[in-house]
Amino acid sequence: MPSDRRGDAQDPGPIRSEPGSLLEHVVVAVFGFDDEDRICYWGPGAQNLFGHEAGSVLARPASLLFPEPAPGDDGPGAAAHLAERARTLGYWRVRLPALHRDGSVFDCGFRVFPLTGATGASVVLGLASRGDELDRVKTNLSFLDALFETCPIGLVMLDEDLRYVHLNQALADMDGVPLDAHLGRPMADIMLTSDGGEYQRMLRTVAQEGRTVIGALVGLRTPGRPDRDQVRSVSFFPLSGAGDTRRGLGGLLLDVTDREQAILEATAARQRLALLDRAAAGIGTTLDLSTTARELVAAVIEEFCDACVVELVEWMDETEDFDPGLPLMTRRIASGTILPEPAVELVSGLEEVTYPPGSSIHQMLGSGRPLCFTVDEEFATRTVVHQQRARLLLDSGLACIVIAPLIARGTVQGLAMFGRSAARPAFAEEDLGLAGELASRAALCLDNARLYGRVRDIALTLQRALLPSAPAAGPYVDISHRYLPGSRGTEVGGDWYDAIALPGDRVALVVGDVMGHGVPAAAAMGRLRITAKTLARHNPEPVALLEELDLCAQEAGIEWATCLYLLYDPHTGRARIANAGHPPPLVRHRDGSVHTVGDVPGVPLGVGGVPYRSVEVELPEGAVVALYTDGLVEVRGQDIETGMDALREQLRAPLGSLEEAADRILANLLRDTATDDTVLVLARVGAVPGRAPAGPAA
């Protein structure tokens, strides 16, 4: 089967391995012998290897490819021997001297085997390459195999997405993760850094821009060794992706932890600072004691410790001196753990805790600073009162505990405990400092929350004392009233209301709102309410009453307050209304229709200089009057008319009892995020027996 390629200008040249591989420069010659050991096929690689063009060798004896036998050698020639071995064994490989066209002899590796064509004729096909090139490839491959098997430096190949493609056992041991568990996973899953993604950006620069990185130092941890900080010297280079080989990058990684302890310390310091920064942002977002304590627990669980509790000391008096000879009682307000039972029961199973004299808590409070304790029999016996709880502690998996005082304004507010299992490294001195910083931050926030709670309790007590508990409305008016403080985080408001029984069965309904919040607003509200009640009993006329209230507000320095005054007479079924800048009342008739009444403009109290006026309306028997403050209908970013329409819609629905109606209206209109106080007064008016029916309300 002669070759139809005879080395002309279109000859593609010798057969080579794919570019970029170890075999790239190894010439592979392909040739064939017929039954008479004559050359019947001559490939381009053969021409390159032996130097003969196809036309000069085809049909000639194959012996011309080999040097003459040595004198006295009567055996078959090399070509005949190759053909005979191929036909006998089916496949044979051997190293033999070969003869180049220029007369030089070179070492050559042969692979020969028989082929039978469709006509039944057989040939011996041979493959040949220079021995020195084969030796070089074998040496390189052996070197690479030995390198990956025995090199103490971590070797890795990553694809373009920085996923593991190949690595050696040294790197797997360094990571503490089985070699097979690496393959296909992103490197970021194994090498856990705290550098804000800088390491990953460096690798992508190598993969995408072809830059080489040599000897970069990286601080990290791995899932296989979560308790050990490491520093590695890493070098990475791009892989060309020649042919159909995978693109990506190769790398060498060397553990230099001992040499680079300073980097480890800097990494740990950055982690501690990052934790403190997150804690500073996440602790104290509200002025609620329990929420603040839970925020501390959430900030430290998993990253700093495996379990945490926060407890407040139940002092009889804040000025009380700590007596180490007395039991210490605390109230646990927050807890958390990532450990399984019985650790969960240990941290969450108690609310009231008693520590006996001489406990570790007493020792910590005596020192005034965080202390670390090993969890053992002695610690459990000395710290935990009940034997069952002591056993829970010993079985919890906690190996060491840091106890830190919560001190603010020179007073111990409580304590925080941070616990670690044996799977983590024990607390170091730096960790004690971090625990102290966290406790100090939490103590300040808890103290603010505690002080706020006291001030708010005082303000709410004052406000409730100033508001009527059961307004007297007389026999012809039924009243349901609601006051809800807003969810504003710091203060109470100045909303107020009243119902005043007057001579002649008349009833005055009053609702108002003092601008501002806190104790000053509550005090101003109380002054206006008491003044309005006193004035109503002496001169109940609406205009006169508002004028007097306005003067009172000016004298008291109340700059802005709204007020609506409604005087109802059950003998006539009529009501007179005067308004000082307050939302107008709504009236629901028995047929379900709802109307706005008494919508007369008027300036707020305290402004002065503008006269008030009143309007008279008819209130038919059974009508329900709704008085309210703007907290019920006003929402930030929404027109007040939208809120008024919503209130009208609620009033149109069947009311049932006034109490049920008041609860339903507040539940449907008020949002959980409402920040303003809200007053709602519903008054169902009656009539004196024998009174003529009133006409429709104006």
Side-chain angles (χ1 to χ4, degrees):
M1 55 177 190
S3 170
D4 60 356
R5 292 181 294 175
R6 299 178 175 270
D8 55 22
Q10 301 303 317
D11 192 330
I15 299 174
R16 295 179 182 272
S17 63
E18 64 183 29
S21 73
L22 291 172
L23 302 177
E24 181 180 2
H25 301 292
V26 177
V27 175
V28 180
V30 183
F31 55 88
F33 301 162
D34 61 16
D35 290 339
E36 298 179 0
D37 296 339
R38 291 175 300 182
I39 299 173
C40 62
Y41 180 81
W42 194 251
Q47 176 179 329
N48 183 276
L49 182 63
F50 294 100
H52 299 283
E53 294 183 358
S56 65
V57 296
L58 287 174
R60 296 184 62 186
S63 59
L64 68 85
L65 303 179
F66 301 94
E68 293 291 332
D73 186 354
D74 297 331
H81 189 55
L82 277 177
E84 185 272 332
R85 293 280 85 188
R87 293 186 179 101
T88 301
L89 301 177
Y91 176 82
W92 193 45
R93 63 180 183 177
V94 67
R95 296 283 285 265
L96 293 172
L99 180 64
H100 194 270
R101 180 176 178 275
D102 63 9
S104 61
V105 177
F106 60 94
D107 180 50
C108 190
F110 291 90
R111 304 289 189 273
V112 290
F113 46 92
L115 288 177
T116 302
T119 62
S122 66
V123 298
V124 172
L125 192 66
L127 306 175
S129 295
R130 291 186 65 93
D132 55 355
E133 292 181 351
L134 291 174
D135 290 341
R136 176 171 56 83
V137 171
K138 288 168 62 178
T139 300
N140 287 340
L141 290 175
S142 297
F143 171 75
L144 290 176
D145 287 342
L147 182 66
F148 263 79
E149 289 179 6
T150 64
C151 180
I153 297 175
L155 303 175
V156 67
M157 176 181 175
L158 306 174
D159 65 14
E160 291 179 293
D161 295 322
L162 307 183
R163 294 176 299 209
Y164 289 94
V165 175
H166 190 37
L167 69 154
N168 65 346
Q169 189 61 45
L171 181 56
D173 293 340
M174 201 182 302
D175 292 337
V177 177
L179 191 149
D180 290 344
H182 286 74
L183 301 180
R185 295 177 63 182
M187 197 174 202
D189 286 357
I190 304 296
M191 293 184 62
L192 309 175
T193 63
S194 58
D195 56 4
E198 183 61 31
Y199 178 60
Q200 293 296 309
R201 288 191 289 272
M202 178 186 74
L203 295 183
R204 295 194 183 280
T205 299
V206 176
Q208 297 171 3
E209 301 179 13
R211 299 181 183 179
T212 298
V213 172
I214 299 176
L217 296 177
V218 180
L220 65 127
R221 285 188 178 184
T222 68
R225 304 187 187 283
D227 58 339
R228 181 171 183 263
D229 291 310
Q230 297 183 41
V231 175
R232 294 182 187 174
S233 173
V234 302
S235 299
F236 282 93
F237 50 89
L239 299 177
S240 64
D244 62 354
T245 58
R246 190 189 298 258
R247 292 184 178 274
L249 61 161
L252 297 87
L253 301 92
L254 180 64
D255 189 342
V256 293
T257 303
D258 293 339
R259 191 187 76 192
E260 302 295 336
Q261 188 63 34
I263 291 183
L264 281 182
E265 293 174 357
T267 300
R270 283 199 304 271
Q271 292 172 338
R272 288 192 292 271
L273 287 174
L275 175 57
L276 275 176
D277 184 58
R278 289 191 296 273
I283 299 175
T285 60
T286 70
L287 287 169
D288 179 76
L289 278 172
S290 296
T291 300
T292 300
R294 288 194 297 269
E295 288 169 345
L296 171 60
V297 172
V300 299
I301 283 293
E302 192 167 1
E303 184 170 354
F304 180 67
C305 60
D306 298 311
C308 178
V309 298
V310 179
E311 300 174 3
L312 297 182
V313 177
E314 296 293 324
W315 299 114
M316 296 296 292
D317 184 347
E318 275 199 6
T319 61
E320 178 182 348
D321 292 332
F322 168 64
D323 187 346
L326 295 177
L328 184 71
M329 289 175 288
T330 66
R331 178 166 55 92
R332 187 167 296 176
I333 60 173
S335 64
T337 182
I338 57 174
L339 299 176
E341 292 289 2
V344 176
E345 170 64 19
L346 175 70
V347 302
S348 61
L350 282 182
E351 182 176 348
E352 304 293 333
V353 186
T354 300
Y355 296 101
S359 72
S360 302
I361 309 300
H362 288 72
Q363 183 179 344
M364 178 274 298
L365 291 178
S367 69
R369 57 187 179 85
L371 296 179
C372 183
F373 300 92
T374 300
V375 177
D376 53 21
E377 291 278 359
E378 190 272 336
F379 173 79
T381 302
R382 186 158 51 94
T383 304
V384 183
V385 174
H386 301 292
Q387 185 175 357
Q388 183 180 1
R389 301 290 302 179
R391 178 46 53 187
L392 279 178
L393 175 59
L394 294 172
D395 295 340
S396 66
L398 294 174
C400 55
I401 292 177
V402 166
I403 308 174
L406 302 174
I407 300 176
R409 296 182 293 115
T411 301
V412 175
Q413 308 287 330
L415 56 100
M417 297 189 198
F418 311 94
R420 284 184 179 177
S421 67
R424 288 180 185 259
F427 289 105
E429 191 65 33
E430 295 80 5
D431 294 321
L432 293 183
L434 176 58
E437 291 285 348
L438 291 168
S440 295
R441 168 70 184 177
L444 179 61
C445 296
L446 288 169
D447 188 53
N448 288 338
R450 190 196 294 259
L451 292 176
Y452 159 73
R454 291 177 180 174
V455 172
R456 181 175 173 82
D457 287 345
I458 293 172
L460 286 173
T461 300
L462 170 64
Q463 188 174 41
R464 289 178 182 131
L466 294 174
L467 288 174
S469 57
Y476 301 108
V477 177
D478 293 330
I479 285 184
S480 175
H481 55 92
R482 296 288 186 274
Y483 167 76
L484 272 77
S487 60
R488 186 182 300 270
T490 56
E491 297 174 341
V492 296
D495 291 14
W496 55 285
Y497 61 93
D498 209 344
I500 309 166
L502 300 173
D505 297 323
R506 293 177 300 174
V507 175
L509 301 177
V510 189
V511 64
D513 185 358
V514 177
M515 182 182 68
H517 291 83
V519 173
M525 172 271 291
R527 175 176 292 188
L528 290 177
R529 175 182 168 261
I530 293 171
T531 302
K533 192 165 189 173
T534 303
L535 290 173
R537 287 173 174 165
H538 288 81
N539 184 4
E541 291 305 313
V543 170
L545 186 140
L546 289 187
E547 289 174 348
E548 289 295 331
L549 276 183
D550 180 54
L551 290 174
C552 174
Q554 294 179 57
E555 292 172 358
I558 301 172
E559 297 180 356
W560 189 281
T562 66
C563 180
L564 186 135
Y565 183 88
L566 182 151
L567 179 64
Y568 173 67
D569 187 345
H571 292 273
T572 64
R574 305 186 70 81
R576 290 200 301 277
I577 303 171
N579 195 335
H582 199 82
L586 300 178
V587 176
R588 182 192 189 277
H589 299 271
R590 285 182 170 180
D591 61 4
S593 61
V594 178
H595 303 285
T596 302
V597 297
D599 190 8
V600 291
V603 299
L605 304 176
V607 174
V610 180
Y612 295 99
R613 62 189 183 89
S614 65
V615 63
E616 187 171 288
V617 298
E618 298 245 7
L619 296 180
E621 184 178 3
V624 175
V625 181
L627 306 180
Y628 51 94
T629 56
D630 56 6
L632 184 65
V633 295
E634 195 169 41
V635 178
R636 180 172 297 180
Q638 174 182 292
D639 186 77
I640 192 172
E641 279 303 319
T642 302
M644 294 281 292
D645 289 340
L647 177 56
R648 291 187 185 98
E649 190 64 30
Q650 292 295 318
L651 289 171
R652 290 189 188 102
L655 292 185
S657 73
L658 294 183
E659 294 294 323
E660 293 174 349
D663 290 338
R664 173 176 55 80
I665 291 171
L666 292 179
N668 291 336
L669 295 187
L670 284 186
R671 301 182 181 181
D672 293 337
T673 56
T675 58
D676 202 2
D677 292 2
T678 298
V679 162
L680 174 63
V681 177
L682 298 179
R684 180 178 280 121
V685 298
V688 173
R691 191 190 79 188

